[in-house]
């Protein structure tokens, strides 16, 4: 690990914490994060030549595996025509049509360069459309790092949010209500306490950022019913679930039509790309048509569009094969580790929706953030380190989702279960 160590030493001189995104620093699991030099298919190689089975897939985008030939070729071809123009292109419409063809709620959309931009813009739009200020989010859901979304729950479910990060003014957090997930009564109470004041409800329809937490039966339907009755905008944050849990995302899986949807990750095939979209009457409030300003130098970037068209195009052309393979592999890999945990007498709860899942070190079911927080994070950290040493790279936090790709194989499933048997012995 000497090359990674040298790279880390330099990185720590250049970047706060040596990283360009905090979770990469392994703060939640300890140990020294390897520096990745290349990846192909289901595997990462670090600067010292060690190979890892990749179970976090760049936090979701790499659903076809790394360096998927059709995606690489599309990026290469687009790059030869320049990386960016700052002008409109056919490619933006080509990717948008792939989206609208499989996401009927997306009557109109706009591309941005990250999930954070997508959610930040969708909320501004919802506030303008409704003329209201308050935003409801849920504990354990992460929607990027815009100020108003870095908010923790206040004392009661209907009380105002408190800053979840330094630098977020109380005045900003005041307008965000952070409620418990999977709790319909809490949403009713918030609307009762803030009649006519709540602009939108933003939700991860399947939570990935507390670890994977599926919606309870009828929960998403309740959010749709309540927001419709209250005249509030329902925003599905499908940055992670989009094209992941189904080609049409969680809204296809659970049969819900949100007013706005945010996307990212898989949409750009690994390049910087996000989008927000939904009802045309809401989207048409955006400049230059309407009064809501939103903009981006690299929005609709030609290389991101090319990677997205190649990725989403492949998913559409091979939908049945892709999602049945992801379901098969994800079921087998989660069961394999669960069996190893049972054999080792280690309490483990598996939450999974399609090819996103989490092994919670908890004997209890995990249905909300409070449940996730009861997991044994020390045990998870020991498990993570032992799995990494055994060549399996899990997301470095109990509160993150793991992801499979179509490039993973039965051998990867077997090797992961074998590594888990050893790692679980180390974890207890
Ligand atoms: P980005 O700004 O990181 O592209 O997207 C923010 C975002 C929005 N919505 C959801 C549901 C998300 O999961 C994310 C970002 N996810 C994290 C992983 N949990 C990104 C990894 C990181 O922060 O480094």
């Amino acid at each position: 690990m000497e090359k990674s160590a040298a790279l880390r030493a330099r990185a720590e001189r250049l970047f706060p914490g040596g990283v360009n995104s905090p979770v990469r620093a392994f703060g939640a699991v300890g140990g020294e994060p390897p520096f990745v030099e290349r990846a192909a298919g289901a595997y990462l190689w670090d600067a010292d030549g060690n190979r890892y089975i990749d179970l976090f897939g760049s936090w979701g985008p790499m659903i076809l595996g790394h360096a998927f030939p059709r995606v690489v070729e599309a990026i290469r071809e687009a790059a030869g025509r320049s990386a960016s123009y700052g002008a409109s292109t056919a490619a933006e419409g080509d990717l948008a049509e792939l989206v609208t063809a499989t996401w009927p709620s997306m009557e109109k959309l706009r591309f941005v360069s990250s999930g954070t931009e997508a959610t930040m813009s969708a909320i501004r739009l919802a506030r303008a459309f409704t003329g209201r200020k308050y935003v409801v989010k849920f504990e354990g859901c992460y929607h990027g790092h815009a100020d108003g979304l870095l908010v923790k729950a206040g004392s009661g479910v209907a009380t105002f949010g408190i800053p979840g990060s330094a630098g977020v003014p109380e005045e900003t957090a005041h307008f965000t209500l952070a409620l418990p997930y999977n709790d319909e009564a809490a949403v009713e109470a918030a609307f009762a306490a803030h009649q006519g004041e709540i602009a939108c409800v933003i939700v991860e329809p399947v939570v990935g950022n507390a670890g994977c937490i599926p919606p309870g039966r009828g929960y998403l339907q309740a959010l749709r019913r309540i927001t419709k009755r209250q005249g509030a905008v329902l925003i599905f944050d499908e940055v992670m679930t989009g094209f992941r849990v189904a080609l049409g995302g969680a809204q296809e899986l659970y049969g819900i039509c949100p007013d706005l949807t945010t996307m990212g990750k898989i949409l750009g095939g690994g390049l910087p790309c996000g989008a927000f979209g939904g009802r045309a009457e809401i989207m048409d409030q955006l400049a230059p048509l309407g009064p809501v300003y939103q903009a981006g130098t690299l929005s609709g970037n030609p290389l991101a569009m090319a990677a997205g068209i190649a990725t989403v195009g492949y998913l559409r052309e091979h939908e049945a094969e892709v999602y049945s393979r992801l379901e098969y592999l994800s079921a087998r890999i989660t069961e394999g580790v669960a069996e190893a945990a049972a054999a080792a007498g280690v309490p483990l709860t598996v939450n999974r929706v399609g090819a996103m899942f989490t092994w919670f070190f908890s004997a209890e079911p995990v249905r909300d953030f409070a449940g996730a927080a009861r997991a044994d994070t020390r045990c998870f950290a020991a498990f993570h380190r032992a799995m990494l040493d055994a060549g399996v790279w899990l997301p470095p936090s109990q509160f993150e989702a793991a992801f499979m790709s179509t490039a993973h194989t039965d051998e990867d499933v077997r090797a992961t279960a074998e590594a888990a048997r050893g790692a679980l012995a180390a974890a207890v």
Side-chain angles (χ1 to χ4, degrees):
M1 192 74 93
E2 63 277 10
K3 287 184 180 169
S4 272
L7 289 168
R8 188 165 36 257
R10 179 182 65 171
E12 283 165 359
R13 291 195 301 276
L14 294 165
F15 312 117
V19 291
N20 285 298
S21 198
V23 72
R24 302 176 189 173
F26 277 27
V29 293
E32 303 299 352
F35 274 54
V36 174
E37 185 162 273
R38 67 185 179 90
Y43 312 115
L44 300 164
W45 282 266
D46 68 17
D48 296 287
N50 302 301
R51 190 198 84 159
Y52 305 88
I53 296 171
D54 180 4
L55 293 186
F56 67 108
S58 180
W59 306 96
M62 310 318 284
I63 194 167
L64 297 177
H66 291 284
F68 190 72
R70 176 165 160 177
V71 176
V72 173
E73 190 40 46
I75 295 169
R76 185 178 285 126
E77 193 277 327
R81 291 185 277 114
S82 178
S84 181
Y85 315 122
S88 294
T89 64
E92 292 158 273
D94 296 342
L95 182 54
E97 284 181 339
L98 283 173
V99 170
T100 56
T102 40
W103 295 65
S105 72
M106 301 282 269
E107 295 172 356
K108 280 193 177 176
L109 61 145
R110 176 164 288 177
F111 290 116
V112 291
S113 299
S114 70
T116 293
E117 278 189 271
T119 58
M120 177 176 73
S121 308
I123 286 171
R124 184 179 311 135
L125 204 45
R127 283 174 159 154
F129 182 69
T130 60
R132 302 175 182 179
K133 291 183 178 177
Y134 286 86
V135 171
V136 166
K137 75 174 291 288
F138 298 94
E139 289 169 294
C141 290
Y142 173 71
H143 304 290
H145 61 90
D147 279 1
L149 288 165
L150 292 179
V151 170
K152 291 187 296 193
S155 56
V157 291
T159 56
F160 315 123
I162 47 184
S165 163
V168 174
E170 292 79 13
E171 296 80 1
T172 304
H174 171 89
F175 292 107
T176 302
L177 305 173
L179 308 182
Y181 184 75
N182 269 337
D183 180 341
E184 182 180 334
V187 181
E188 292 283 12
F191 274 96
H194 298 277
Q195 278 291 350
E197 296 180 321
I198 296 174
C200 61
V201 170
I202 185 166
V203 67
E204 286 186 64
V206 175
V207 179
N209 288 290
C212 178
I213 302 177
R217 182 181 303 280
Y219 179 65
L220 298 176
Q221 288 75 5
L223 294 183
R224 179 62 290 179
R225 186 173 61 250
I226 295 168
T227 48
K228 200 175 283 291
R229 172 166 30 97
Q230 297 284 351
V233 173
L234 178 60
I235 302 174
F236 265 23
D237 178 357
E238 297 227 39
V239 167
M240 188 183 283
T241 53
F243 310 102
R244 167 62 57 184
V245 298
L247 182 62
Q251 52 197 266
E252 173 190 309
L253 196 62
Y254 296 100
I256 304 281
C257 186
D259 301 305
L260 293 178
T261 297
T262 55
M263 295 177 157
K265 295 184 191 280
I266 293 170
L267 177 68
L271 267 65
C273 181
F276 61 106
R279 286 164 50 194
E281 65 177 322
I282 302 178
M283 293 299 290
D284 285 348
Q285 301 298 309
L286 273 175
L289 214 50
V292 180
Y293 195 70
Q294 183 279 333
T297 303
L298 299 177
S299 296
N301 172 269
L303 304 196
M305 296 297 101
I309 290 163
T311 301
V312 177
Y314 184 89
L315 294 174
R316 279 197 70 202
E317 292 156 26
H318 303 274
E319 179 179 2
E321 171 199 341
V322 162
Y323 291 96
S324 58
R325 177 166 180 73
L326 288 171
E327 178 60 27
Y328 164 77
L329 288 167
S330 304
R332 289 204 60 229
I333 200 166
T334 49
E335 284 155 15
V337 171
E339 284 160 12
V346 174
L348 198 78
T349 290
V350 179
N351 280 1
R352 178 175 75 83
V353 178
M356 66 185 269
F357 54 88
T358 298
W359 292 295
F360 285 103
F361 279 71
S362 170
E364 304 302 320
V366 176
R367 297 197 182 92
D368 55 18
F369 183 63
R374 285 194 289 270
D376 183 339
T377 51
R378 187 197 54 75
C379 209
F380 177 85
F383 179 66
H384 182 276
R385 278 198 303 279
M387 290 293 272
L388 193 68
D389 291 343
V392 181
W393 194 329
L394 287 171
S397 166
Q398 174 70 99
F399 308 119
E400 293 287 355
F403 302 101
M404 289 299 273
S405 80
T406 52
H408 285 85
T409 64
D410 284 315
E411 172 50 25
D412 297 324
V413 169
R414 188 207 59 75
T416 299
E418 183 181 341
R421 284 191 284 276
L424 286 160
V428 292

